[in-house]
Amino acid sequence: MSFFVLPLEIRLYIYHLFFQDHRNVVNFQQPTNAHFALLHTCRAISVEAAHLRFYVSLTNDSQISRFVSNVSDEHASQQMQQITCIDVANDARIVIPPSSNSAVPASDLYLALGKMTNLSQLRVFEGRRSRPANHFISGARFSLQFEKAMFPFETVVPRLVSYELFLVPSTSPMHILFRVLPPTDVQTLRLSGGCVLYRGSTFPSLRHLTICGVTGHYLDQHMQDHLTASQLRTFQYSQGDRLGFELTDHLLIPLAHSSASTLSKLVLLGCSKLSTTALTQCLQELSSLEYFAFSFITVHELRSNFVTVLPPSLATLKLRVTNAFYARPLIEEENNLCDALENLLHRLPPLTNIHLHLRHEVLQAHHRDEWWLKAALAASCVLHLGPWEMDEII
């Protein structure tokens, strides 16, 4: 059957799904420009999927240099204005020649970004294929300045709506964010790797915050200072690395309080320093919560039954409870959670989706798993028993 036999609405949806899947980031690997191959299939697809041209990915210095050299004429400059979304590999090095105070970025990335006058979404990856030191003037010094390497001139700094970092936690040095880029218009922010927020920066427009694999202690000490003006709709956290920043009570409670009426999605993965008492307090305030995913590693306590305070607005619940390898399992407390989950299946209005990854002996006690599947079917609720964490791509 010909692809063009399908209705236009379905074809447009297929293009959308293709693009979404293409841009998914797995193991910090930057996407390629393979989506342009779809545009070159035929003239009809090139016209229908023209919106895919708003995105480009620059993965290394040689590709960046070729890209810059190919957009010098007027026609190409008009095409550059279409680009609003870009993935880049940032070298982060600034070259300071000997006996000179003038500094320029080591990569030509800043030239490419300077041509994109309508840029609003930026995702940054580590530049692993950069120019070697012997490519530059002998005796030149290097300085790591993360944002300055992308935007060395204040006159061409974009006002980003989305700013996401995909930096490998174990190899990323400490970078200062929002020293160059203005934070006032940022609605979506993803932090990873070694990062520090520039002093005094606040985010009045921030609605979606993701923290995954952030190293260092800065956020533990200062995150609340930067989020005082933010009204979040989604907050997603994952430790992401054995040395990653760990979410604690004194950070989650103020965040939930400031976004109590707006937060609709809360994802907390791999939490071990968060107490169930603090979590219960937060959930009681979140009157608009619709999506809650919680992966909890118990160490000393599971005192508070947070399932009993889940708000009526909740539609999707994902839960995993396990214990640290050096801690004893809290079987009685986990059974109490399961009792509360049984009551949740009878709740009105019913939940739409429930994903549970619980201990085998707890789940099968009194044939809970069989009873729950029957109760979920009767309530028209999708119930999944087993691992779900890999589905949460943050």
Side-chain angles (χ1 to χ4, degrees), residues 37-38 90 123 168 190 235 259 264 295-296 330 344 360 383:
L38 176 65
N90 185 14
R123 300 198 307 185
V168 180
R190 185 187 193 277
F235 176 65
S259 303
S264 61
S295 173
F296 187 46
L330 303 176
L344 200 63
H360 183 73
L383 175 62

Side-chain angles (χ1 to χ4, degrees), residues 19 22-23 30-33 35-36 51-58 67 79-88 112-113 116-125 158 160-164 166:
F19 183 62
H22 172 69
R23 289 197 71 216
Q30 182 177 346
T32 65
N33 285 317
H35 64 293
F36 284 119
H51 63 282
L52 298 185
R53 298 184 188 278
F54 78 88
Y55 163 75
V56 69
S57 179
L58 302 178
F67 184 82
Q79 290 182 331
M80 292 289 281
Q81 294 177 8
Q82 299 177 21
I83 299 175
T84 60
C85 177
I86 187 171
D87 292 346
V88 300
L113 292 173
M116 300 176 188
T117 55
N118 295 320
L119 188 64
S120 63
Q121 299 180 43
L122 174 64
R123 300 198 307 185
V124 187
F125 298 77
L160 296 177
V161 173
S162 177
Y163 187 25
E164 300 181 78
F166 291 87

Side-chain angles (χ1 to χ4, degrees), residues 6 16 41 139 164 178 194 235 252:
L6 298 173
H16 171 73
T41 304
E164 300 181 78
F178 298 103
F235 176 65
L252 183 62

Side-chain angles (χ1 to χ4, degrees), residues 179-191:
R179 192 170 192 168
V180 175
L181 291 168
T184 50
D185 294 328
V186 174
Q187 298 179 19
T188 300
L189 177 62
R190 185 187 193 277
L191 303 176

Side-chain angles (χ1 to χ4, degrees), residues 313-331:
S313 57
L314 192 70
T316 298
L317 171 65
K318 296 184 177 183
L319 178 63
R320 182 192 182 189
V321 178
T322 186
N323 61 283
F325 72 92
Y326 53 83
R328 66 179 182 84
L330 303 176
I331 301 297

